[in-house]
Amino acid sequence: MESFHASGTYSKQAHVKIPDGLYEEEHGRNGFFGRVSQLYHENPTVNWTNIEGDLKPQCLPPVYETCGENQFVPMLQNSDVVINAGLFTKSPEYFYRSADYDELFFIHDGSGKIETVYGHLDYKKGDYIVIPRGTTYKIFLNERTKFLKVESSSEFEQPDRGMLGPNALYDQTLLEIPKAELGSEQNLKEYKVQIKRLGKITTVTYPFNPLDVKGWKGSVYPWKLSIYDIAPIMSHRYHIPPSGHTTFVAKNFVICSFVERPLEDTKHGVLKVPFYHSNIDFDEVLFYHQGNFFSRDNIDAGALTFHPQGIHHGPHPKAFEAADDKEYTDEYAVMIDTKNPLIPTEWFNENEIKDYWKSWM
Ligand SMILES: [Fe+2]
């Protein structure tokens, strides 16, 4: 164990029985995995009266109201990951394959199927679909679909469940793997595959459907998991940090799923809302999927917050009261934490809620 020290007034258990009149800040390294200290302030670290400069909490209103249609719009990116929004009202015409990224689709709303070279995967609201880099596929809508698409420079892995055992969080049998199946379109004159390499598209044309695989075997394949199948880790005696809700791990970033769950038990003096922190080694993106987001004011489904390394964030002032008599949260959200700073795109800067940083004032 690291050499641990303590001084002055503090609570013996982090996030529990915070001394009266003080506000706990967590100063954690390496996200929630490294050295950590809790500091007990006289004032909430978010009670600023002004911010001058680029470093501030940022927020997009529900992204599907402004992202246009039938295209993926990058919102935040770095060399490890690109976070896109996509509202599709019709099925894309082309087959697609990325030579740049592994892809993860999260279905915020809608239904349809993704036909891949490995077989078909139906999708509906709440599904995560992982498509390994180099997989040819085509999206078919049953109804208008709101996608969150995460493009990754590395593979999506499952989290290490450690002492929780292999069945925790989500069991292997909850994953859906496609069965070999030919592409449904067989009467087209030609079949065009758009391939993305170094951000540019090359179109390859075939006289046959490229999804022509009669069988496959191996450990590379697309897979699907529903956020509604995730069994959250929780304790009535301790506020589990976001890392306890990890769903996917990639190089230099993780994806966590916040799902509905009973809240911590007030009678043990446990913090029910996320603690204040600046998460100094990770940028934090939170995509709000569904439910009543009680730790933040005026946030609707489809909205997205971006809390960069270095500036504090935490519950909005009213959240503490709101949480007091709450015993259960119906909140669903997808969190993306990145080791390397994320850069907002021009589209993000044009559409963000400029005064969001004032929402703590
Ligand atoms: Fe956070």
Side-chain angles (χ1 to χ4, degrees):
M1 181 64 191
E2 298 295 335
S3 54
F4 179 89
H5 299 281
S7 164
T9 310
Y10 57 88
S11 68
K12 284 208 170 130
Q13 171 60 58
H15 322 319
V16 176
K17 294 188 180 129
I18 293 164
D20 287 346
L22 299 183
Y23 298 89
E24 181 194 57
E25 174 204 356
E26 174 151 305
H27 187 188
R29 300 310 307 271
N30 198 20
F32 305 93
F33 300 98
R35 288 190 182 88
V36 62
S37 289
Q38 283 77 34
L39 302 95
Y40 297 87
H41 295 259
E42 290 186 327
N43 304 285
T45 51
V46 294
N47 278 18
W48 43 66
T49 53
N50 191 23
I51 298 181
E52 284 163 59
D54 293 345
L55 179 58
K56 51 172 82 86
Q58 298 180 263
C59 178
L60 284 168
V63 296
Y64 304 99
E65 289 163 16
T66 49
C67 71
E69 292 184 355
N70 303 313
Q71 56 178 353
F72 286 104
V73 176
M75 301 183 284
L76 292 156
Q77 57 196 4
N78 65 24
S79 57
D80 303 306
V81 62
V82 183
I83 304 168
N84 305 272
L87 167 63
F88 281 72
T89 57
K90 60 182 176 163
S91 302
E93 263 174 66
Y94 295 87
F95 296 82
Y96 182 80
R97 183 163 80 235
S98 181
D100 287 340
Y101 299 112
D102 284 65
E103 298 171 297
L104 179 134
F105 291 93
F106 177 70
I107 313 298
H108 177 56
D109 201 9
S111 68
K113 68 175 170 178
I114 301 185
E115 294 190 4
T116 81
V117 76
Y118 286 86
H120 306 181
L121 284 171
D122 293 330
Y123 70 75
K124 61 187 183 312
K125 183 177 179 173
D127 283 343
Y128 286 113
I129 295 164
V130 173
I131 306 273
R133 184 197 308 222
T135 302
T136 305
Y137 65 89
K138 191 171 184 183
I139 298 173
F140 294 84
L141 269 58
N142 283 350
E143 58 186 326
R144 200 173 80 124
T145 299
K146 296 174 178 176
F147 295 100
L148 180 74
K149 181 163 93 165
V150 179
E151 293 173 295
S152 170
S153 304
S154 60
E155 294 179 77
F156 290 99
E157 311 286 356
Q158 293 192 33
D160 171 9
R161 292 157 171 90
M163 65 182 188
L164 295 171
N167 303 122
L169 298 174
Y170 54 88
D171 205 337
Q172 301 309 303
T173 27
L174 283 168
L175 307 182
E176 190 178 324
I177 314 291
K179 297 191 173 31
E181 188 174 351
L182 300 181
S184 60
E185 298 164 309
Q186 295 298 333
N187 306 319
L188 303 182
K189 254 186 13 306
E190 56 186 15
Y191 301 81
K192 291 180 179 293
V193 182
Q194 290 196 331
I195 306 169
K196 181 154 94 171
R197 174 168 162 74
L198 299 174
K200 286 196 299 180
I201 295 292
T202 295
T203 303
V204 177
T205 304
Y206 293 98
F208 53 83
N209 188 318
L211 311 182
D212 62 352
V213 170
K214 296 295 279 181
W216 60 270
K217 65 177 190 63
S219 55
V220 173
Y221 45 75
W223 50 288
K224 182 177 87 173
L225 168 71
S226 170
I227 198 170
Y228 303 120
D229 285 335
I230 293 174
I233 305 300
M234 50 111 15
S235 162
H236 66 298
R237 297 286 302 272
Y238 178 65
H239 184 89
I240 302 281
S243 48
H245 305 289
T246 302
T247 311
F248 302 98
V249 177
K251 187 170 160 242
N252 294 332
F253 74 97
V254 296
I255 297 179
C256 307
S257 304
F258 299 135
V259 302
E260 62 178 291
R261 62 182 175 83
L263 288 174
E264 296 76 7
D265 198 336
T266 316
K267 86 167 176 284
H268 292 285
V270 189
L271 196 66
K272 281 184 167 182
V273 287
F275 41 81
Y276 294 113
H277 69 152
S278 75
N279 203 349
I280 196 63
D281 291 325
F282 278 77
D283 277 358
E284 280 187 30
V285 174
L286 199 55
F287 174 79
Y288 292 82
H289 176 50
Q290 76 179 62
N292 163 22
F293 310 112
F294 70 97
S295 64
R296 217 162 293 296
D297 299 349
N298 311 323
I299 290 276
D300 297 322
L304 180 144
T305 57
F306 169 44
H307 295 157
Q309 302 156 329
I311 185 92
H312 292 93
H313 61 271
H316 274 148
K318 293 198 211 96
F320 290 94
E321 285 146 52
D324 269 351
D325 46 18
K326 259 176 101 68
E327 292 184 351
Y328 195 87
T329 175
D330 62 358
E331 189 176 308
Y332 282 84
V334 176
M335 177 182 219
I336 303 161
D337 281 9
T338 68
K339 207 166 210 153
N340 296 316
L342 286 164
I343 311 299
T345 60
E346 207 177 309
W347 180 85
F348 184 108
N349 294 332
E350 281 160 12
N351 289 284
E352 68 164 322
I353 300 171
K354 297 291 180 208
D355 287 348
Y356 170 66
W357 61 272
K358 295 181 180 171
S359 59
W360 279 272
M361 290 162 65

